Amino acid sequence: MAGHSHWAKVKRAKASVDAKRGQLWSKLSRRIIVAAKGGGNPDDNLSLRYAIDEARAANMPNDTIERAIKKGTGELGGQAYETVMYEGFGPGGVAMLVECLTNNRSRTAPELRTIFDRRGGQLGGANSVAWMFEPKGVFIIASDAIDEDSLMEIALEAGRRISRHRRASSKSHAKCHNTTR
Amino acid sequence: MKETLQAKNVPTLSARLTMVPTTTVQVEGDVARHVLGLVDALEENDDVQNVYANYEMPDDILEEQ
């Protein structure tokens, strides 16, 4: 059949999905790279384990994950990424904390400033909003997997407090306050 | 906490560390939409890993996304 290319059509749709997925993967890779600096073994390195879990959940291929780990431990030549928190206000006075992983702060800061300015916000200085936030762990558990009381017990055993517990249709959502921080 | 959950065989659908605001700001309507627009624009940036914010808004505006 002339002029009917199935692949051409597929390619258009696939290109957009692939681009989005690629972007997600590079963000996840960065997280792995930084986490791996503390040690390349996920059994010993908790933040590495979380980072790898997230990458797996996003269907990132194993060798991509491996490569990211090696970049972090320095086995491949790499660039130094650092975690930087930027702070600012959005429309309506909403406080925003932007967690970044960058190899070039002097590129990132102006980019963020532009985004804030263009969209009715303002990039702020250090600690303009950070004091309004605290670190917590969020766990999503299916509500048929456990009941509330048992969940509280487990939390107590682990030395943690559950500070907020929200049920949403099929999932139970427990926020856990990390008492050691 | 994650290890304890796993040890007790509670299947966790997801677990992560996040920054939770101690106070929140109510927004709605167009302001709310602009806030979400800003969040999206920030998340698109390659250097940005996470955006935490203290807004509260009606569910139907969130669903618009």
PDB file of all heavy atoms in Angstrom, chain A residues 33-46:
ATOM      1  N   ILE A  33      23.625   8.239  41.140  1.00  0.00           N
ATOM      2  CA  ILE A  33      25.034   8.647  41.141  1.00  0.00           C
ATOM      3  C   ILE A  33      25.419   9.274  42.482  1.00  0.00           C
ATOM      4  O   ILE A  33      26.443   8.920  43.069  1.00  0.00           O
ATOM      5  CB  ILE A  33      25.302   9.644  39.995  1.00  0.00           C
ATOM      6  CG1 ILE A  33      25.146   8.937  38.653  1.00  0.00           C
ATOM      7  CG2 ILE A  33      26.694  10.232  40.115  1.00  0.00           C
ATOM      8  CD1 ILE A  33      25.286   9.832  37.463  1.00  0.00           C
ATOM      9  N   VAL A  34      24.594  10.177  42.952  1.00  0.00           N
ATOM     10  CA  VAL A  34      24.926  10.832  44.221  1.00  0.00           C
ATOM     11  C   VAL A  34      24.852   9.850  45.381  1.00  0.00           C
ATOM     12  O   VAL A  34      25.698   9.843  46.275  1.00  0.00           O
ATOM     13  CB  VAL A  34      23.980  12.015  44.463  1.00  0.00           C
ATOM     14  CG1 VAL A  34      24.056  12.465  45.893  1.00  0.00           C
ATOM     15  CG2 VAL A  34      24.340  13.152  43.553  1.00  0.00           C
ATOM     16  N   ALA A  35      23.843   8.986  45.361  1.00  0.00           N
ATOM     17  CA  ALA A  35      23.714   8.024  46.459  1.00  0.00           C
ATOM     18  C   ALA A  35      24.897   7.072  46.476  1.00  0.00           C
ATOM     19  O   ALA A  35      25.369   6.673  47.536  1.00  0.00           O
ATOM     20  CB  ALA A  35      22.416   7.236  46.302  1.00  0.00           C
ATOM     21  N   ALA A  36      25.389   6.718  45.277  1.00  0.00           N
ATOM     22  CA  ALA A  36      26.466   5.726  45.198  1.00  0.00           C
ATOM     23  C   ALA A  36      27.775   6.273  45.735  1.00  0.00           C
ATOM     24  O   ALA A  36      28.710   5.518  45.992  1.00  0.00           O
ATOM     25  CB  ALA A  36      26.637   5.253  43.755  1.00  0.00           C
ATOM     26  N   LYS A  37      27.858   7.589  45.897  1.00  0.00           N
ATOM     27  CA  LYS A  37      29.091   8.140  46.454  1.00  0.00           C
ATOM     28  C   LYS A  37      29.344   7.612  47.847  1.00  0.00           C
ATOM     29  O   LYS A  37      30.481   7.523  48.298  1.00  0.00           O
ATOM     30  CB  LYS A  37      28.999   9.670  46.529  1.00  0.00           C
ATOM     31  CG  LYS A  37      29.126  10.329  45.217  1.00  0.00           C
ATOM     32  CD  LYS A  37      29.662  11.733  45.337  1.00  0.00           C
ATOM     33  CE  LYS A  37      29.704  12.353  43.964  1.00  0.00           C
ATOM     34  NZ  LYS A  37      29.220  13.721  43.968  1.00  0.00           N
ATOM     35  N   GLY A  38      28.261   7.283  48.530  1.00  0.00           N
ATOM     36  CA  GLY A  38      28.420   6.766  49.882  1.00  0.00           C
ATOM     37  C   GLY A  38      28.684   5.275  49.910  1.00  0.00           C
ATOM     38  O   GLY A  38      28.619   4.656  50.958  1.00  0.00           O
ATOM     39  N   GLY A  39      28.972   4.698  48.751  1.00  0.00           N
ATOM     40  CA  GLY A  39      29.205   3.255  48.752  1.00  0.00           C
ATOM     41  C   GLY A  39      28.355   2.598  47.683  1.00  0.00           C
ATOM     42  O   GLY A  39      27.173   2.863  47.564  1.00  0.00           O
ATOM     43  N   GLY A  40      28.963   1.702  46.894  1.00  0.00           N
ATOM     44  CA  GLY A  40      28.260   1.130  45.744  1.00  0.00           C
ATOM     45  C   GLY A  40      27.389  -0.067  46.054  1.00  0.00           C
ATOM     46  O   GLY A  40      26.767  -0.633  45.167  1.00  0.00           O
ATOM     47  N   ASN A  41      27.297  -0.438  47.342  1.00  0.00           N
ATOM     48  CA  ASN A  41      26.528  -1.632  47.669  1.00  0.00           C
ATOM     49  C   ASN A  41      25.173  -1.248  48.268  1.00  0.00           C
ATOM     50  O   ASN A  41      25.120  -0.701  49.359  1.00  0.00           O
ATOM     51  CB  ASN A  41      27.323  -2.482  48.665  1.00  0.00           C
ATOM     52  CG  ASN A  41      26.638  -3.815  48.915  1.00  0.00           C
ATOM     53  OD1 ASN A  41      25.505  -4.033  48.497  1.00  0.00           O
ATOM     54  ND2 ASN A  41      27.327  -4.700  49.605  1.00  0.00           N
ATOM     55  N   PRO A  42      24.087  -1.535  47.576  1.00  0.00           N
ATOM     56  CA  PRO A  42      22.779  -1.125  48.094  1.00  0.00           C
ATOM     57  C   PRO A  42      22.431  -1.729  49.446  1.00  0.00           C
ATOM     58  O   PRO A  42      21.634  -1.169  50.194  1.00  0.00           O
ATOM     59  CB  PRO A  42      21.789  -1.576  47.015  1.00  0.00           C
ATOM     60  CG  PRO A  42      22.543  -2.439  46.094  1.00  0.00           C
ATOM     61  CD  PRO A  42      23.989  -2.162  46.252  1.00  0.00           C
ATOM     62  N   ASP A  43      23.051  -2.859  49.781  1.00  0.00           N
ATOM     63  CA  ASP A  43      22.734  -3.444  51.079  1.00  0.00           C
ATOM     64  C   ASP A  43      23.278  -2.600  52.220  1.00  0.00           C
ATOM     65  O   ASP A  43      22.740  -2.599  53.322  1.00  0.00           O
ATOM     66  CB  ASP A  43      23.317  -4.861  51.178  1.00  0.00           C
ATOM     67  CG  ASP A  43      22.593  -5.809  50.234  1.00  0.00           C
ATOM     68  OD1 ASP A  43      21.393  -5.592  50.010  1.00  0.00           O
ATOM     69  OD2 ASP A  43      23.234  -6.736  49.723  1.00  0.00           O
ATOM     70  N   ASP A  44      24.378  -1.884  51.928  1.00  0.00           N
ATOM     71  CA  ASP A  44      24.956  -1.059  52.987  1.00  0.00           C
ATOM     72  C   ASP A  44      24.515   0.381  52.897  1.00  0.00           C
ATOM     73  O   ASP A  44      24.711   1.148  53.822  1.00  0.00           O
ATOM     74  CB  ASP A  44      26.489  -1.062  52.886  1.00  0.00           C
ATOM     75  CG  ASP A  44      27.051  -2.465  53.036  1.00  0.00           C
ATOM     76  OD1 ASP A  44      26.457  -3.235  53.778  1.00  0.00           O
ATOM     77  OD2 ASP A  44      28.077  -2.741  52.398  1.00  0.00           O
ATOM     78  N   ASN A  45      23.978   0.738  51.757  1.00  0.00           N
ATOM     79  CA  ASN A  45      23.729   2.146  51.514  1.00  0.00           C
ATOM     80  C   ASN A  45      22.241   2.365  51.280  1.00  0.00           C
ATOM     81  O   ASN A  45      21.718   2.070  50.215  1.00  0.00           O
ATOM     82  CB  ASN A  45      24.553   2.557  50.279  1.00  0.00           C
ATOM     83  CG  ASN A  45      24.466   4.034  50.006  1.00  0.00           C
ATOM     84  OD1 ASN A  45      23.564   4.718  50.470  1.00  0.00           O
ATOM     85  ND2 ASN A  45      25.422   4.526  49.227  1.00  0.00           N
ATOM     86  N   LEU A  46      21.567   2.885  52.299  1.00  0.00           N
ATOM     87  CA  LEU A  46      20.114   2.993  52.234  1.00  0.00           C
ATOM     88  C   LEU A  46      19.632   3.942  51.153  1.00  0.00           C
ATOM     89  O   LEU A  46      18.696   3.634  50.423  1.00  0.00           O
ATOM     90  CB  LEU A  46      19.579   3.467  53.593  1.00  0.00           C
ATOM     91  CG  LEU A  46      18.060   3.412  53.721  1.00  0.00           C
ATOM     92  CD1 LEU A  46      17.587   1.994  53.540  1.00  0.00           C
ATOM     93  CD2 LEU A  46      17.633   3.920  55.087  1.00  0.00           C
TER      94      LEU A  46
END
